[in-house]
Every structure is written in structure tokens, then in C-alpha cells.
Amino acid sequence: MKTLITFFISFCLISAGLAQSKLSKDDKSVLAGLDEKQEQYAEVAHQIWNYAELGYQEEQSSQLLQKTLSDAGFSVEAGVADIPTAFVASYGSGEPVIALLAEFDALPGMSQTAVPKQEIKEEGKGGHACGHHLFGTGSVAAAIAVKSWLEESGTTGTLRLYGTPAEEGGAGKVYMVREGLFDDVGAVLHWHPGSRNSASARSSLANKSAKFRFYGNAAHAAAAPEKGRSSLDGIEAMNMMVNMMREHVSAESRIHYVITKGGDAPNIVPGFAESFYYVRHPEMQEVRDMFERVVKAAEGAALGTGTRMEYEVIHGIYNVLPNETLSEMMYQNLQAVGGVSYDEEEKAFAEQIQQTYDPGDATLASANEVQSYTVSNRGTGGSTDVGDVSWMAPTAGMSAATWVPGTYAHSWQAVAAGGTSIGHKGMMVAAKTLALTAMDIYQKPEITQTAREELMQKRGGDFAYESLLGDREPPLDYRK
């Protein structure tokens, strides 16, 4: 057994050495420059972690990233697509046009300190349970590194960083796509925090959401119940019908909801109630169809309870269309960069926090590994508004081990690790990988044509973009 373990370790070291040996002098210089600025970027990420601003309310986070880019020589256009916290930072001119995506919104009710036990940082506040403070900062770090290389090497091309708000249910990128901001982009690179390092070509679930609002007649629940018409009854009737619908949708479908308003007191027949629904599926047309069935259930519930219903679509996003041409390139660069190594303090933190959840087969050593490359054109798991971007421009993404292996997103454990050096180290893995991949494309601009041909083939000749959220304006108050 010991011999096998020794062989495996030796094999990993040899593989890592071979990957590193493929790095050019410029590559190594860029990576060294990122290492030198790691503490600076860690501080930026930690400030955004502390801000923990919700979707479309990320004023401080957006301003901090904009200033960091502006100070580095980017021209910044703020408030794009009628979204105050959205921005595009640009450098250079001509082709290829390469875009990096940066997110920075937090999740509601996820406040947590940076310790390996559940401990609320500030009651009722948000928290970066999906690591977007790292996402935004890591992409900015990559963009600044690539800009410096473009200047020093005299390489031509356009570099853009898109500051994209409200990924968590607000679909910020969809409005930017709808405005045509990605129409001339040759390649889009993005990443996401995670518990492992991966750069596989993977899809996601399409998703459409809405808030269903029922209006009834308030009345004294004991003295005059016959005068009342309960909006909460409408919500409950709708939920019952949708839950029965689950038997008659495909197994890949996902429908989930919360009641955001159910009344104020038991002795008052609720005059207003609201629920928030998500509908997901690997295919966007299936999402469209299922959503219409949910709407019909809501209409029937209102009719049956004597209430009035109206609904507001909050967001609608496509499934990600993975681009294997770009993903294979990104995977090679992730292999060259490698994963995250823990020091003794980080190892102690990781061991303690892993005791608070079931890590499955994930070991601490896996933070330093790169997962094998796979291709999955049919989505599972979550959704992202990167989906719409990927149907308009060739797109590749990756994940980095910013959380302790086995950690799942949208958990207090993710918030805690994201506020430590574990999160910052994973962020720099992503920044380095994005930077190397962008540099490769600039040096081989013909790759964008190959990637575009793959995109056109996958989306089909009769494709015409039509957003799932229609022509609605950005829901800037959806978190208020």
C-alpha cells in the first residue's frame, strides 16, 4: 500500500512538473506578478466579503472593483444596461476581443464570521455563501495581469472586464446580453468558487423565476370570516397544484418556492400574500413550457379561492452552452497552475470545519489536485446567467478550491472559508488560470474562429436570441 501511495505522489509531482515546464518566460513572469500582488487582492476580496451586498445593491463592491481597474489603467463605463452597479472596464483595441466576467453579489441571511463553526457575523445581513467576492476580485486580478502583459509585449487586442451584478436570482448578465454588450466578443472566460479545481466543459440548468402575488379581502378571522377572501389560501392552493404537477414533469425538472409574505396575524384574513418560484430544466424550452403550467396553476388557485393573482417575472436564464475549444485550453492552463496547498493553520481550520458537514469522498488533499477533464452538454445542479452569455459568444469557465473540500455552495461553511486565506489562495489559482488562457488566445487569435464555429454548430442555424425574461427592466429592488 505504501508503495502505491509513493508511486501516486511521484506521478502527481511529475505531472505537475511537466505542466509547469510548458510555461513560457512570459507566463512565468505573469504568474510571479500575481503572486507579488496576492495580499493586495486578498484585501480587496475581504473588503467585499465584509460589505456582503445583495443583488443590484452592490454599490461599494462595484465601486471598489471599478477603482482597482481604473487605477491600473482601464477605462471604465459604469451603469451599463440601465443597471447602476454594472460596468465594463476596457483596455486596448482591435481583435481578438476577450471578456472576463466578474460577479460580486452576496446572498441574503447568510451572515457568518470567518471561523470553523456556525457564528453569525451580523444578524439579518447577507453573506458571500457563493464566493462572489472572490469571483469578482480574482477576475479583476487576471485582467490587470493580462493588461500589463499586453503593454509589455506589444500584443494587440481588446481586453474587457464585465462587472456583472445580481447573479443570485437577478440575472444581471441577461440585461447586458440584451443590450448587445457581448456581440463583438471573441471569447468569454469566467470562473466560480468551489471546493475542487476543475475546468471541464459543463452545461447548467436553464431557470425562470417569478413572484406570484395574490390579493384577497382582509376581515376579522373570527367575527366576519365570510367577508374575507384569503390571499394565503390562494398561495396554498397554488402550491398544492404545483406540487401535484411534479409527478407529470420530466425527472430532470426542478421546481422550488418560498412564501415571502403570508399575512400579519392569525386573526386577520390575509389580504395579500406572495410566493417566489423557480423553475429549472436542462433545456430552456422545457423551462418555458413548465413555467406556463405554473402560471395556469396560479390562475386556477385564484379562481378557486375568490382572489386576484398577478405575477412578475424576476429572472430567466439560459442553460450554459459549453465551448470545448476554449475549455480544453483552460484545462491545460489549470493543470500548469495547480491547486491549493494548505499551511498548518489552514489545515487545522479545514479539519475542524469538515467535521460540521459530510464531505463524502473529498479529502483535504483534493484541494491541491486538478480534476480530470470531462464534457457534459446537458446541465445538472445549479443555474447561472453566464448561460445567456455563452449562447452569444464562445465561453469557457472553471472552478477553484476556495472552500474546504466537500463544502457545498450557499452554506455558512462556504462563507467562513471565503473569508480566510483558503479562499484567497483558491482565488489566485483562478486568476492565474484565466490570465494564462487569455494570453494564449491573444497569441493564437485564430482559436476564436474555431470556437465561434463550434458555438454556431451547437446552437443551430435557426437560433435567434430571445431572453426568457422578456422585455422587462432590471428588477433593481428584487432584494428589498
Side-chain angles (χ1 to χ4, degrees):
M1 184 67 179
K2 185 179 291 185
T3 303
L4 287 173
I5 293 173
T6 303
F7 172 78
F8 176 74
I9 293 172
S10 299
F11 176 78
C12 290
L13 290 172
I14 292 169
S15 298
L18 289 172
Q20 286 285 341
S21 68
K22 295 178 182 178
L23 294 174
S24 68
K25 182 179 179 181
D26 279 359
D27 292 339
K28 293 176 180 177
S29 176
V30 167
L31 297 185
L34 282 166
D35 282 334
E36 290 174 4
K37 294 183 176 181
Q38 179 167 331
E39 289 304 314
Q40 172 187 334
Y41 293 126
E43 177 58 31
V44 171
H46 199 67
Q47 285 188 60
I48 297 174
W49 183 85
N50 277 316
Y51 294 151
E53 297 169 299
L54 305 183
Y56 295 128
Q57 301 173 36
E58 319 98 329
E59 288 90 355
Q60 295 179 93
S61 304
S62 180
Q63 284 297 322
L64 178 56
L65 294 181
Q66 288 181 50
K67 184 178 187 305
T68 303
L69 289 158
S70 179
D71 289 348
F74 282 80
S75 61
V76 179
E77 181 183 1
V80 298
D82 296 322
I83 302 173
T85 53
F87 66 90
V88 179
S90 304
Y91 172 78
S93 61
E95 295 184 341
V97 179
I98 299 178
L100 303 181
L101 304 182
E103 298 174 7
F104 37 83
D105 62 320
L107 281 158
M110 293 302 301
S111 179
Q112 165 68 30
T113 59
V115 298
K117 63 179 181 179
Q118 190 164 16
E119 181 180 273
I120 295 174
K121 182 172 181 283
E122 193 172 355
E123 192 71 44
K125 297 296 184 179
H128 276 286
C130 217
H132 293 176
H133 64 301
L134 302 169
F135 186 160
T137 307
S139 294
V140 166
I144 293 173
V146 174
K147 173 192 173 290
S148 297
W149 171 77
L150 288 171
E151 285 180 312
E152 294 168 5
S153 65
T155 304
T156 59
T158 302
L159 175 63
R160 294 188 194 139
L161 183 132
Y162 289 72
T164 62
E167 189 276 337
E168 298 289 359
K173 296 181 191 64
V174 178
Y175 299 98
M176 300 172 83
V177 169
R178 207 174 64 179
E179 285 291 307
L181 299 181
F182 291 91
D183 288 355
D184 64 342
V185 174
V188 177
L189 307 178
H190 70 101
W191 76 285
H192 201 282
S195 68
R196 297 193 178 191
N197 308 292
S198 173
S200 292
R202 292 184 300 217
S203 187
S204 63
L205 298 179
N207 185 359
K208 187 168 184 176
S209 75
K211 291 184 177 181
F212 291 85
R213 299 174 180 128
F214 285 76
Y215 300 86
N217 297 323
H220 195 294
E226 74 282 1
K227 303 294 186 183
R229 294 294 182 269
S230 173
S231 57
L232 181 58
D233 286 351
I235 292 286
E236 292 185 309
M238 175 191 176
N239 292 346
M240 181 183 67
M241 285 189 282
V242 173
N243 285 330
M244 288 190 292
M245 192 180 95
R246 295 178 191 276
E247 184 181 354
H248 308 289
V249 297
S250 66
E252 298 169 298
S253 303
R254 298 288 183 270
I255 306 172
H256 26 270
Y257 62 87
V258 293
I259 298 175
T260 53
K261 177 72 173 177
D264 297 306
N267 62 341
I268 303 173
V269 175
F272 173 77
E274 179 188 80
S275 62
F276 194 180
Y277 265 81
Y278 276 29
V279 177
R280 308 190 204 229
H281 191 273
E283 302 289 343
M284 56 191 168
Q285 187 55 52
E286 190 78 12
V287 166
R288 281 194 177 103
D289 295 343
M290 277 198 302
F291 183 81
E292 289 307 314
R293 292 173 66 186
V294 170
V295 171
K296 292 296 184 184
E299 291 172 345
L303 183 64
T305 56
T307 57
R308 177 174 62 87
M309 184 278 299
E310 61 184 34
Y311 70 93
E312 177 187 8
V313 172
I314 300 300
H315 85 279
I317 53 182
Y318 281 31
N319 50 299
V320 167
L321 201 60
N323 193 280
E324 296 172 48
T325 303
L326 297 181
S327 293
E328 290 170 2
M329 180 181 290
M330 183 173 282
Y331 175 70
Q332 294 298 322
N333 285 313
L334 177 56
Q335 281 191 310
V337 171
V340 176
S341 296
Y342 294 159
D343 60 26
E344 288 304 312
E345 183 177 349
E346 291 161 348
K347 184 179 178 182
F349 178 99
E351 289 174 342
Q352 189 173 345
I353 203 170
Q354 245 192 6
Q355 295 174 13
T356 68
Y357 60 89
D358 179 7
D361 62 352
T363 64
L364 296 189
S366 65
N368 197 33
E369 300 167 359
V370 174
Q371 302 300 302
S372 299
Y373 180 79
T374 59
V375 177
S376 176
N377 287 303
R378 197 162 183 84
T380 59
S383 309
T384 171
D385 55 8
V386 174
D388 289 63
V389 175
S390 72
W391 283 75
M392 303 306 292
T395 302
M398 60 159 289
S399 63
T402 59
W403 307 327
V404 177
T407 299
Y408 42 89
H410 296 196
S411 66
W412 69 261
Q413 292 93 339
V415 184
T420 71
S421 56
I422 289 175
H424 304 151
K425 283 183 174 181
M427 175 184 74
M428 297 310 293
V429 166
K432 291 175 181 180
T433 305
L434 293 181
L436 292 180
T437 306
M439 291 164 62
D440 283 347
I441 298 171
Y442 281 121
Q443 293 174 94
K444 300 176 183 177
E446 65 275 8
I447 204 75
T448 60
Q449 182 58 37
T450 305
R452 170 64 62 173
E453 291 170 358
E454 179 187 340
L455 170 63
M456 299 298 286
Q457 181 181 10
K458 284 187 173 180
R459 74 182 193 180
D462 59 349
F463 173 78
Y465 179 72
E466 180 183 354
S467 75
L468 285 174
L469 49 76
D471 60 358
R472 71 148 299 148
E473 297 178 352
L476 302 181
D477 61 350
Y478 87 111
R479 288 295 193 197
K480 292 182 180 178

